Each structure stands twice: as C-alpha cells, then as structure tokens.
Amino acid sequence: MVKIAPSMLSADFLHLEKDVEMVNEYADIFHLDIMDGTFVPNISFGFPVVEAIAKAARKPLDVHLMIVHPEKYVERFAKAGAQYISFHYEAALEESEAIIGQIQSLGVKAGIVINPDCPVEAIFPLLPKVDFVLIMSVFAGFGGQKFIPESLDRVWAVRAELDRLGRKDVPVEIDGGVGPGNAAEIIRAGAEILVAGSSVFKSANPKEAIEAMRNA
Ligand code: DX5
Ligand code: ZN
C-alpha cells in the first residue's frame, strides 16, 4: 500500500494548523525537512516547529535530517515526536551503521538517505540494518525542484537488493519533484512512500493531488 507523505516545507507557516489538519485527514505521514545551512545551502526549521506539529498530528512524523553530525540531534527529534528519522549517508559515511542503531534504540524507525550523485551500492552494506531507505530524486536542500528521471532506476536497484536480502517489509521512500504526473512510474519502480511538497501544498486541491498519487 502506497503512503503519501506531504513535505511540510511547502506548507503555509502562517496557517500551519490548517495544513496539519489537511494531512491528518487525507495523507499518511508528515515529512519534516530539517536543514542546517551546512550540509545543504538552506535552513528550514527546528525543534519548536516539529513539536508544534507533533501536538496536532494524528499521523506519524518522518524527520528527514539534512544536517552534519546527525548523531547529536536524533535523540531530541525522537523526544520531539518523530516516529521515523532519516539522515544522509554522505553526512555520516562510516558512522552510518552506528547512527542507525542509535535511532532504533530510541524506538524510532531508522532510514538512510542518498543524494542523486551517490552510487546506490554505497548503502548496500546498510540494507540489512535499516527500517527504510530514502532516495532523493532532486538534490537535497530546496522544495520545488524538477524530478531527476534516473532516480527510477535507483529506486529499482535498491528495491531489488532489499528483496534479495529478504527484506520485503523495508519500504523505499522517494523525495523531490514527485506529483500526480509521475507517481505511477515511481510506484512501478518500487517506491512505497511518496514525499510531495509543492505538488500538494501549491495545488488548488491538496486532497485531490494526494488521492491522485495514491491511486496512480
Ligand atoms: C528537499 C526536501 C523535500 C522537499 C520536496 O530537500 O527533502 O522533502 O520539500 O519538495 P518538492 O515535493 O516540492 O520537490
Ligand atoms: Zn525531504
């Protein structure tokens, strides 16, 4: 079953409660992008916003860390209410396995993320450990970018390796430039969690956009 995870980066921060209620009603997961201005050239939001969303959220919070030293902050994001936490392989390299264990020891699902220029094989040694994998289909840092078509093969390759390892229950999430127009091919490639920012919140009808992706 495909899950739709609206990225709150594209929400209306002046009326955040309204957008939280929209996700509560029609979507499956809250995707929260944390950017530090160092790992990526942009700064998004931090703990106060995550805690505020957690108060009103009736769907799980998925925190996507685009930060250096994710190990310093995973505990606070878990306390803030995250049920899924992912961090970038490029930010952690050989520390990745330990950070996955750290996240899981907090009772949170641990995900590894890779940018479009990181070979998928780099994370294969981590696939026996992770609870989910996030494939970036744009370079992390900004909403509203165009989907990189080569991402489909990358989803396929990770899905195939997870299946080969007998980890059919571990979902592949995709993030960046996803919308009703490309959801069908993305789902066909094996993605089960679709993150969507602009295509949901900039749409005249977010509910319809979500339903169109879910049923693509
Ligand atoms: C980008 C973020 C995404 C972003 C997606 O670095 O990780 O979650 O909000 O936005 P869209 O769907 O507009 O590409
Ligand atoms: Zn994201």
Side-chain angles (χ1 to χ4, degrees):
M1 179 64 185
V2 170
K3 293 191 165 113
I4 309 299
S7 166
M8 302 309 285
L9 190 63
S10 296
D12 176 358
F13 284 86
L14 195 56
H15 304 99
L16 193 52
E17 194 169 4
K18 171 179 75 63
D19 284 347
V20 168
E21 281 311 323
M22 189 281 295
V23 177
N24 276 336
E25 204 166 341
Y26 305 116
D28 305 288
I29 294 172
F30 287 85
H31 184 82
L32 307 179
D33 291 298
I34 309 299
M35 304 179 186
D36 66 355
T38 299
F39 180 70
V40 288
N42 195 10
I43 296 178
S44 56
F45 51 79
F47 299 112
V49 173
V50 175
E51 285 159 0
I53 292 173
K55 275 190 201 146
R58 297 194 304 272
K59 301 287 168 74
L61 306 190
D62 166 31
V63 171
H64 171 194
L65 297 176
M66 285 160 271
I67 65 175
V68 296
H69 294 300
E71 73 284 357
K72 287 190 187 170
Y73 298 100
V74 291
E75 191 170 348
R76 280 194 66 189
F77 281 109
K79 286 211 174 95
Q83 276 129 298
Y84 298 73
I85 297 178
S86 62
F87 62 97
H88 275 258
Y89 172 72
E90 304 91 341
L93 300 174
E94 63 277 8
E95 305 303 323
S96 298
E97 188 171 338
I99 300 172
I100 290 165
Q102 186 194 2
I103 295 170
Q104 290 167 337
S105 73
L106 296 162
V108 175
K109 289 190 192 305
I112 192 80
V113 195
I114 48 171
N115 260 321
D117 60 354
C118 178
V120 288
E121 293 76 19
I123 59 161
F124 279 9
L126 300 168
L127 297 185
K129 311 275 177 188
V130 290
D131 298 304
F132 64 105
V133 175
L134 173 48
I135 304 284
M136 291 306 299
S137 39
V138 301
F139 281 89
F142 298 91
Q145 301 180 74
K146 206 172 153 327
F147 183 84
I148 299 172
E150 289 76 19
S151 310
L152 295 172
D153 286 345
R154 292 162 59 75
V155 169
W156 183 262
V158 171
R159 182 69 265 157
E161 182 62 10
L162 284 165
D163 290 351
R164 197 186 68 80
L165 294 168
R167 305 212 67 204
K168 290 190 188 298
D169 52 327
V170 172
V172 175
E173 179 177 26
I174 187 154
D175 182 6
V178 176
N182 56 12
E185 54 183 350
I186 289 169
I187 294 166
R188 231 181 291 127
E192 287 171 275
I193 305 174
L194 274 51
V195 177
S198 340
S199 68
V200 169
F201 290 108
K202 310 290 180 218
S203 148
N205 192 333
K207 172 186 186 259
E208 265 176 24
I210 291 168
E211 292 306 316
M213 284 186 270
R214 202 197 300 287
N215 302 317

